Amino acid sequence: LAPPDGQRPFVGEGAFGEQDAGLFHGRECEQVRVAGMWRQSRLSVLHGGAGVGKTSLLCAGVISQMRAEDAHVLPVASVAHRPAFPVAALSEHNAFRLAVLSSWYPRASPVTISELTVGAFLRRHRQSDRSGRRLPVLGAIDGAEALLRTSGRHEDQRLRFLEELAAAMKEIPDLHLLLVVREDAVGEAVELAGLLGHAQPELCSLEQFGPEAARAAVTEPLKRARGSGEAVAHALVRELRTVRMASRVQRTARLSPALLQLVCAHLWEDLPGDADIPAERLRAEVNRVLADFCAHTLTMIAADHSVPASTVLSWFRSAFGGPQGRAGIPEHRLYEDVPRAVVDAAQDYHLIRARLRGEERCFELQHPRLIEPIRDLGEAAVPIHRPGPSVRLRQARLALSAGDLELARRHAEAVTRACGEGELRLLADALTFLGDVACEREDAEAALGHYREAATILEAVPDNAAVGWRLAGIGRVLLASDPSAAVRYLQAAVSRLPQELSVQTALGKALLDCGRMRAARAVFEDVLGRDSRNREALSAKRAMTGIG
């Protein structure tokens, strides 16, 4: 039976969102502790291994609680977030600032975000209570590891963003920032805190479930779905804590929330209410779910990174199927057999987790209960069941954030093939994203093609403003090679977005490049008449003075 509201009682492999607050159980103490830390400290760090439930705790637990208390708490930001907006339409942008601020303020214009520092933007959006007192701004950045390590293509942007964030912490005394990182990045997070002016941030470690919390995480959703669940919860948690080694059987003190949700999501419809479950049947069912998850996930990782599935499956079984998988394997040894991207993906999909052993980074199994099904892994690829197009597009954004342009492109192209007739906007978003990837590759021709196709689809939606932004992106791309064509596209964009000064300014630059000085001057003067401090228009007008 489904829950009364049609919602499944377990989220499965994904994280809990704010909409899942009614299903989120077992973290009541941690929820109170993190909420209190966040309110009281200017800078705090929540850390824990991959799959321990940091994102779920924040979204479904802490934020839901704080919204009910009328706190000014922002949505959780992700450094991998990208708005459905053609970045080519921006005169300039900082990828980190765009990701964080558009996560915190999803309705904000990417143009405004691109033009303001973090501090200036936050000051514009401060809120007061009924008595007029300023409310503290509570902002969290999930996956903050991306801010802690060099970024290759965007290293200058990363450093500038950190400078802006430090300035914002200084300028806005009621800004409370929470950084969420994996366990092996705590030291770097503390170093970053020093750069942000807080050498001693508050730290909170999130551990795997204890038995009581794990049972609550199963029992309460089952009660909501069918009115009972205690017996099933006890049996399932007991089985997931049971590790069968060659010479002995033992029960772990902790249990992975990610694996618990995975197993429950696959088995809950087949489990009896409060009737006893034969132990061997439950063991076989749990092994089946975990073995399918491992085989499918590893095959998918192999396909994503163009490595033979047999290589990845054999590597994982030999590396993590024995005692060493529980004890921890130094990362340099893992990279001898598969690319680093494969190891990182195995952690992202919650098969393994990283921890520090002294100064050395090691990887261990997400939970020892995986050892039993891993031993039986074959080496043949299994059929891959990809997620829906919206999830796949999110994977594309994560790949781009990690610097893997090719994987990002492949994911997004798969989205364009999977979208149905009722998913025109998602199709346009995927095409826009492909245009952004082409811009990263400096492939102007491909970017133009993707933006044009997205504009055509948005005409059919219809969404006049969204079409205008794609036309603006096309116009800015054409500025470098064909200013006459850029003028045509930007004039069309201006007709759809008459209040957007950045589009007007781009048109002025195109006119200037075509030698149409009088028309360009008129555009810039109009822009400056509405915004006397418009940097792009001021710069262009100064350039005209030098020419003239």
Side-chain angles (χ1 to χ4, degrees), residues 331-531:
E331 63 176 333
H332 70 270
R333 283 177 47 196
L334 293 176
Y335 303 150
E336 294 172 358
D337 299 311
V338 293
R340 180 178 189 136
V342 168
V343 179
D344 291 342
Q347 182 174 206
D348 292 339
Y349 283 107
H350 303 156
L351 287 169
I352 58 177
R353 57 182 185 163
R355 64 178 176 84
L356 291 177
R357 189 163 61 193
E359 296 294 320
E360 191 171 34
R361 190 166 178 245
C362 299
F363 286 93
E364 61 187 24
L365 270 180
Q366 172 66 229
H367 190 268
R369 181 59 180 83
L370 284 170
I371 292 176
E372 190 173 350
I374 286 172
R375 290 187 190 127
D376 298 327
L377 274 180
E379 294 188 11
V382 299
I384 299 175
H385 306 289
R386 292 286 188 178
S390 60
V391 175
R392 195 81 186 268
L393 185 56
R394 190 158 61 245
Q395 291 177 337
R397 290 168 176 153
L398 287 168
L400 183 61
S401 175
D404 194 334
L405 300 181
E406 179 58 23
L407 181 57
R409 181 191 64 78
R410 295 205 308 269
H411 279 317
E413 286 184 346
V415 174
T416 65
R417 295 190 294 270
C419 284
E421 292 183 3
E423 297 174 304
L424 289 181
R425 187 172 293 278
L426 182 60
L427 176 58
D429 289 348
L431 288 164
T432 300
F433 179 83
L434 284 168
D436 294 346
V437 172
C439 286
E440 290 273 356
R441 292 177 176 269
E442 299 183 349
D443 186 346
E445 184 177 352
L448 292 170
H450 292 309
Y451 287 150
R452 286 181 182 125
E453 193 173 353
T456 300
I457 290 168
L458 289 165
E459 284 275 22
V461 167
D463 187 332
N464 191 55
V467 174
W469 284 118
R470 273 66 183 175
L471 296 176
I474 293 168
R476 283 197 181 268
V477 171
L478 286 169
L479 273 173
S481 59
D482 190 347
S484 295
V487 167
R488 294 194 297 273
Y489 277 99
L490 289 165
Q491 285 174 332
V494 167
S495 70
R496 294 169 184 269
L497 302 164
Q499 303 304 315
E500 292 292 346
L501 300 187
S502 67
V503 183
Q504 299 258 24
T505 305
L507 173 59
K509 293 173 76 171
L511 291 166
L512 182 60
D513 288 350
C514 289
R516 298 166 62 179
M517 299 280 289
R518 183 177 299 176
R521 191 184 305 278
V523 169
F524 294 136
E525 288 178 351
D526 179 57
V527 170
L528 292 170
R530 289 191 273 172
D531 178 9

Side-chain angles (χ1 to χ4, degrees), residues 253-265:
R254 297 281 174 179
L255 178 58
S256 164
L259 294 187
L260 182 64
Q261 282 293 318
L262 169 73
V263 170
C264 288

